[in-house]
Amino acid sequence: DNFQSPNSVIPYSTRRQYKHVTLSNGLKVLLVNDKEAIRASAALSIYGAGQFDEDVDIGGLAHLMEHMVSCASKEDFEDWLSNFDGSSNAFTAPKMVCYHFNVPPEFFSKSLLRFAALFQQKAVERACRNEGVLRREIKRVDSELNFENDFNRMFYLLKSLANPSHPFSRFTQGCIKSLEQIPKRDGINIGERLINFFKKRYQPSKAVLVVVSPADLDSLEKWTSPFSSILSRENVQYRVQKYPSPLKYGSKPAQYVVWHPKDTSPIMQNMEKLSINWLLERNYDNSEKVITSTTIGFFLAQLISRRDSGSIYSFLLRRNWIPEGNQGVPRITLPIDVSGFQLMRLEIVLTIDGFLNRAAVVAAIYDSLQEIVSLTRGSYNIPTEFLKKTLSMARLHGYNIAPRPPDPIELAVDAQTYGFGGTVGVGVPGIWPQLPAIDDTALLNEIRKGISDVLRIITDPRFATITITASNDAIFRSRESIFYDPIPPPLDPKWNVEAISGTRYLTDDLTSLTGKVEEWIGTRIDGDAMSLPSPNPWLPLKLRPARQSKQQAISGNTASLYFLDSAFESVSKKFGSKNPGIVELSWKDPTLTQDIGTGWQLYQADGNASDGLQIPILPDEPTCRCAMVIQLLSQRPARANVNQAGLAQLWLFSFEEAIKELAELGTPAGLAYELTFNKYGLRICILG
């Protein structure tokens, strides 16, 4: 009864105080008092002012609007901030734009005033009608184009393959041609279009401002009052957009080899990247509790990215088709996740041998996906035990023991997805909007349904667009493949060229090799087949309540030991501690050798306080974590010779190798260990 569900355990930075305010213009403000904050920061997100919301005939208008707002004040905000060791930036996403800055706390109030001035409608109109400023910012937008990396090349290839009526297909980055040359040719006044976009899309009712500072909440509320007069003064009703299907799906997957002319990273030399892309259409605009595709992707990643002996990772590694270590682990990402449209991607780094056998790699991936379906016995409904274990892990690392609290950018963006305040939105202590509580059966069923819907798509090859990079070396060695004809040189006319990025690509028909691939996969030796995943037995479904866990510095022969929960209150009273749950004892005190609680004993090797079994010092705020130290006593001499030290180190390596699988199970469960030698022997510290 003393244990709690992870959702009820107070998480990181419990010293934060929150306050929700709605200004007279409808703008929502989240005030965050954080006494631990070294710098003060703010972020303003505006929903409905993103790339998918811009005019169809002007590619990059939303991005250019972001630049124009950033320089709308008479004195450049970025330059002013730099005088006080501050900085600012902004980004335009598919469905929103976000502006943010940070500065030392003593300059925060003045910075907020200048930040608010950027969004005054008159200031924005003045900037948009200034030809010099407009031309300068168009050049800056153009300078941000980068088609040198594989991510951008494959991203624009996907956009070129999409339905032309879908906003994903548009060129939303912007360049001199789309923002200056074409509008000039067509008689379009780009400045007036920007002003109309601001009036229509920069609605205060769709904006969220988040400020984080050591200052008290009353001061923060006063400093944010100027934001009641910013953004558009025209009340335009926002309409939820409905998108057409992003792709026309065929009877087989679309597959492309994408040439990358040089290895941009030493890590990727002699490596190629295989990407399987799925365009999803999940809608959660009207959901009270949003379960995003990113959440679904996280659950699927636990099934696909595992590294046990029966995983796709181990299967490919045994054939030398992927590199060892983290680099070869399959990864699921969602470059785009907005209501109505999501891009889900499975990426695997391949060796050159993997590239030459890419048809077999793809077949093995789909084979592993079918193993997940068999876990559900064909129903596509993931078992409840797996859902709860994975949910526990997500909450544990993302909320309960997260290394830091969310910054204002995260809060401002999440507020647009999960809501503002209330019982499920951002800025509510004890509530993590991204995922539900483990005991919330209704929302667990929603997650199960979401996984089921996505699983039906990603296990069907017809819904996939597959791309694989090909370096010059891979193209040269393609003649070694037993499956394919040699790939022609990159300048051969057989290569297609994507219009925006200049990406060169070839159609790669993997499905014509189905028989050979099945024959290849069928050559598995006994015990080589991929197997079903099993729930991690170490993942906790219940956590202790948060409690103090800091061990204060030892002075003299006295140390402060913070006990774990209310069960020890009688002990602290027995020893006369002034603080409940804390016992102050001398290391030499004989009471240290008596039992404290059931089955636990504190042991001190000798009377010297500096030689005590030190427990790791955790943050001095309440936490659900605890630590255990085990000291193995041995006859090891105080000074070891070279041979003895070498043997001890070899044993240490062998021990770590022996428990590697246990350690990999422990990591998702929030467990970590440290092995060190001291004068008594081996010290094992476990944090969990």
Side-chain angles (χ1 to χ4, degrees), residues 355-377:
F355 175 83
L356 299 179
N357 293 280
R358 56 193 179 276
V361 172
V362 171
I365 291 171
Y366 275 99
D367 198 15
S368 70
L369 293 175
Q370 286 303 322
E371 289 290 343
I372 298 175
V373 176
S374 65
L375 174 68
T376 71
R377 298 181 179 180

Side-chain angles (χ1 to χ4, degrees), residues 25 72 77 108 140 142 182 188 193 207 259 310 317 334 353 451 495 616 625 635 641-642 646 663:
N25 59 351
F77 182 56
F108 194 44
R140 287 180 175 174
D142 186 81
I182 292 178
I188 297 173
R193 282 291 193 94
W259 177 53
L317 187 62
L334 279 101
D353 284 342
I451 295 174
W495 288 81
R625 280 196 144 176
Q635 299 298 319
N641 60 37
V642 174

Side-chain angles (χ1 to χ4, degrees), residues 594-654:
Q594 76 175 39
D595 286 345
I596 299 190
T598 303
W600 290 95
Q601 189 176 62
L602 293 174
Y603 178 82
Q604 179 61 21
D606 62 26
N608 189 344
S610 62
D611 292 331
L613 302 183
Q614 297 296 301
I615 295 176
I617 296 179
L618 300 176
D620 59 353
E621 60 193 33
T623 177
C624 57
R625 280 196 144 176
C626 55
M628 177 174 68
V629 176
I630 302 171
Q631 178 70 57
L632 301 183
L633 306 178
S634 73
Q635 299 298 319
R636 182 181 179 182
R639 292 178 178 272
N641 60 37
V642 174
N643 289 336
Q644 290 170 327
L647 288 172
Q649 197 62 42
L650 283 173
W651 180 88
L652 203 62
F653 290 151
S654 68

Side-chain angles (χ1 to χ4, degrees), residues 11-25:
Y12 43 63
S13 193
T14 54
R15 295 183 178 183
R16 277 189 167 186
Q17 290 182 303
Y18 297 91
K19 185 175 182 180
H20 299 79
V21 177
T22 300
L23 302 181
S24 58
N25 59 351

